[in-house]
């Protein structure tokens, strides 16, 4: 099956699943299949109840509900990705931008490596900047690498970022609270250096998503880009 056909089919299947479980699906879904990644970008994905809660400043409540729902849907989404693409997905990440009503789902297949065919100019500068931000938030990553999948999708992977207190919180069952705290902190730091990222990437950044796999001590950052005019 051609990649464009897979992307279209995956968009339809994911939209159907989200409508079934959230009561409202995204108005648009953009899928990027670039081995080892499957990136699913959701636009205008907020239910009427979520809108009401957000208007009343209950953002944390909406995040908690979304996270609980996604934990139930993770395996189903991985199954759908595998069914459509044939890719053996090992890792799954997700994040939301309630301000923009958008979201991101990411599957990473088992053979994930440092794919150099996704190279780009100023790679060293960008990865150094990400590592600096990580050090501000928790610690300098053991490994940092990045991939420019296409002109609109840029991915950064970090490995070895958890500090001892975070590991203890996870062991005590505070994974959800830690996720919410890290999401808020890291996005704030990333957006603070948005202009510098745009300078190195030579593209405008429209959205930034961040997610973690605490079991693997691994994190993914995805920048949604638009070419500079």
């Amino acid at each position: 099956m051609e990649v464009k056909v897979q992307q279209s089919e995956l968009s339809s299947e994911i939209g159907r699943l989200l409508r079934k479980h959230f009561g409202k699906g995204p108005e648009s879904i953009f899928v990027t299949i670039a081995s080892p990644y499957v990136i699913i970008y959701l636009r205008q994905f907020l239910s009427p109840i979520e809108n009401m809660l957000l208007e009343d400043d209950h953002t944390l409540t909406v995040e908690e509900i979304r996270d609980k729902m996604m934990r139930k849907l993770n395996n189903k989404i991985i199954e759908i990705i595998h069914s459509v693409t044939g890719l053996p997905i090992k890792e799954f990440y997700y994040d939301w931008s309630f301000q923009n009503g958008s979201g991101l789902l990411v599957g990473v297949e088992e053979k994930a490596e440092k794919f150099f065919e996704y190279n780009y100019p100023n790679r060293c500068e960008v990865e150094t900047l990400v590592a600096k931000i990580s050090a501000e938030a928790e610690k300098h990553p053991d490994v940092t690498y990045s991939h420019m999948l296409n002109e609109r999708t840029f991915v950064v992977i970090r490995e070895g970022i958890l500090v001892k207190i975070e590991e203890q919180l996870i062991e005590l069952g505070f994974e959800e609270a830690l996720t919410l705290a890290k999401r808020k902190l890291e996005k704030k730091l990333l957006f603070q250096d948005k202009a510098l990222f745009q300078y190195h990437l030579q593209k405008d950044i429209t959205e930034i998503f961040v997610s973690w796999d605490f079991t693997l001590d691994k994190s993914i950052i995805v920048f949604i880009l638009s070419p500079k005019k």
Side-chain angles (χ1 to χ4, degrees):
M1 192 187 300
E2 290 185 5
V3 171
K4 286 185 178 179
V5 176
Q6 290 180 341
Q7 290 175 167
S8 177
E9 185 175 334
L10 193 50
S11 174
S12 298
E13 291 289 331
I14 294 298
R16 191 176 299 115
L17 179 73
L18 295 177
R19 278 192 299 275
K20 177 181 177 182
H21 290 274
F22 285 91
K24 178 187 181 298
E27 289 186 9
S28 54
I29 301 177
F30 302 92
V31 177
T32 297
I33 300 174
S35 179
Y37 304 105
V38 177
I39 312 285
I40 303 169
Y41 178 40
L42 315 172
R43 297 287 302 277
Q44 299 303 312
F45 181 42
L46 283 174
S47 70
I49 293 175
E50 288 175 331
N51 263 316
M52 182 183 68
L53 288 168
L54 292 170
E55 286 172 2
D56 291 339
D57 295 322
H58 294 302
T59 304
L60 189 59
T61 300
V62 178
E63 283 195 80
E64 289 173 345
I65 293 170
R66 282 276 182 104
D67 286 350
K68 283 181 170 61
M69 182 67 80
M70 289 305 299
R71 281 197 291 274
K72 293 181 179 296
L73 295 180
N74 283 359
N75 289 336
K76 182 62 179 175
I77 293 172
I78 290 171
E79 288 173 13
I80 291 173
I81 294 173
H82 179 67
S83 174
V84 173
T85 67
L87 299 176
I89 300 300
K90 178 185 178 184
E91 303 165 32
F92 182 74
Y93 303 89
Y94 60 86
D95 187 25
W96 319 107
S97 172
F98 295 120
Q99 181 180 358
N100 297 325
S102 57
L104 197 80
L105 314 176
V106 182
V108 185
E109 63 176 305
E110 280 184 287
K111 65 175 184 177
E113 301 168 4
K114 301 177 186 179
F115 281 63
F116 291 105
E117 61 262 39
Y118 301 130
N119 212 341
Y120 61 95
N122 300 323
R123 180 184 193 130
C124 181
E125 289 83 355
V126 171
E127 292 177 357
T128 298
L129 180 56
V130 169
K132 178 186 79 71
I133 291 170
S134 297
E136 287 184 56
E138 55 260 314
K139 66 183 279 285
H140 196 287
D142 294 340
V143 178
T144 305
Y145 54 96
S146 54
H147 299 144
M148 184 70 72
L149 303 186
N150 54 46
E151 65 175 8
R152 297 187 182 277
T153 314
F154 175 65
V155 173
V156 183
I157 300 293
R158 295 172 297 164
E159 299 178 9
I161 58 172
L162 292 174
V163 296
K164 293 298 182 183
I165 187 64
E166 291 174 327
E167 292 174 356
Q168 188 63 52
L169 285 168
I170 293 164
E171 189 175 321
L172 291 172
F174 293 102
E175 183 173 326
E176 183 176 349
L178 182 60
T179 298
L180 295 174
K182 287 171 72 67
R183 187 183 284 156
K184 186 178 181 66
L185 174 60
E186 289 205 3
K187 280 189 174 182
K188 178 182 176 182
L189 294 173
L190 288 164
F191 274 106
Q192 282 178 356
D193 279 327
K194 178 180 174 182
L196 196 48
F197 279 113
Q198 290 182 147
Y199 173 77
H200 290 312
L201 295 171
Q202 287 300 295
K203 294 177 186 291
D204 290 327
I205 295 170
T206 59
E207 305 229 47
I208 303 175
F209 297 97
V210 190
S211 188
W212 299 265
D213 185 321
F214 293 134
T215 302
L216 297 175
D217 193 1
K218 191 171 180 180
S219 170
I220 188 167
I221 305 170
V222 179
F223 293 78
I224 303 298
L225 311 170
S226 61
K228 284 196 172 183
K229 299 177 181 178

